[in-house]
Amino acid sequence: MKKIIYRDEKGAIIEQAEMPVDQYHTNPGWIKGKFLTKEVYKDGKLREYTIFVDDKKDFADILQDEKLQGASISIGRREQVGTFRHEKLYWHKSDKSPDTILTEIFDEGNHVIVSSFTDDIENEIPYWNGTTKYYYDTSVRADAPLFECYYTDEGKPIPITIDVEELNWGDQDGTWVYADPEGIEDLMRIFKMSKALAEFYVSSEIIPKNIT
């Protein structure tokens, strides 16, 4: 079994859970970004450690912490971008060498609207097969996105598929939205979203600007 503990800035436990080793467990945003550390234990030993720090804290201090020897470490930074929360997690292997970088963007409802990772530590170029955008509207569907965005290996947006039949917005199987001015107009019309937000969803941008 794995034991997962979330702690706040005072070291108090916010939440803890036990689950089978091979079971997927949540990402840090699951508890609305309110924790400072996440500790994953297996057989009583610390195996994974995630901590969010401010820009004044040195990564080296964390990587050299004796209590974290033998554990993989993820060091995160957070910033607010308009109405969105931007989180970047720098993963390190158990030998403390850099591994991957995970970027996630959360909306005001704490839904992940962008998830992207890369193992290009120097340039941080996204791994496009590991990049997805999601669009949520909880007034239409509470627990799942209304559409998802994917990319070619070169980072070009793949046309978005919208299941308009499932959404009761028509009698056809689906609607294709392309990364062009007409696609932007389609998103604005179908989802009543702003032009800036529609432009974001048909683009290869990972971090949204100050848009709503």
Side-chain angles (χ1 to χ4, degrees), residues 77-142:
R77 298 197 189 282
R78 286 194 179 111
E79 66 175 339
Q80 199 69 22
V81 182
T83 59
F84 303 105
R85 188 175 80 247
H86 171 211
E87 295 187 354
K88 183 176 285 189
L89 288 166
Y90 297 84
W91 282 97
H92 297 76
K93 301 175 185 177
S94 57
D95 65 2
K96 307 305 177 282
S97 61
D99 189 9
T100 59
I101 300 173
L102 172 65
T103 294
E104 291 185 314
I105 308 295
F106 297 82
D107 66 14
E108 291 179 296
N110 207 51
H111 303 108
V112 176
I113 68 163
V114 179
S115 179
S116 180
F117 81 92
T118 181
D119 54 11
D120 182 350
I121 306 302
E122 183 176 351
N123 301 304
E124 298 191 16
I125 296 173
Y127 175 57
W128 290 106
N129 281 336
T131 297
T132 309
K133 289 181 184 176
Y134 308 87
Y135 177 74
Y136 282 83
D137 183 342
T138 55
S139 68
V140 178
R141 184 186 292 157

Side-chain angles (χ1 to χ4, degrees), residues 154-189:
E154 295 74 33
K156 295 182 179 180
I158 295 173
I160 301 167
T161 302
I162 300 170
D163 192 338
V164 294
E165 182 179 25
E166 182 181 345
L167 295 171
N168 297 316
W169 289 345
D171 57 2
Q172 51 188 316
D173 291 336
T175 296
W176 292 97
V177 173
Y178 294 85
D180 57 20
E182 185 177 346
I184 293 170
E185 293 293 331
D186 285 340
L187 290 180
M188 293 170 63
R189 172 179 52 81

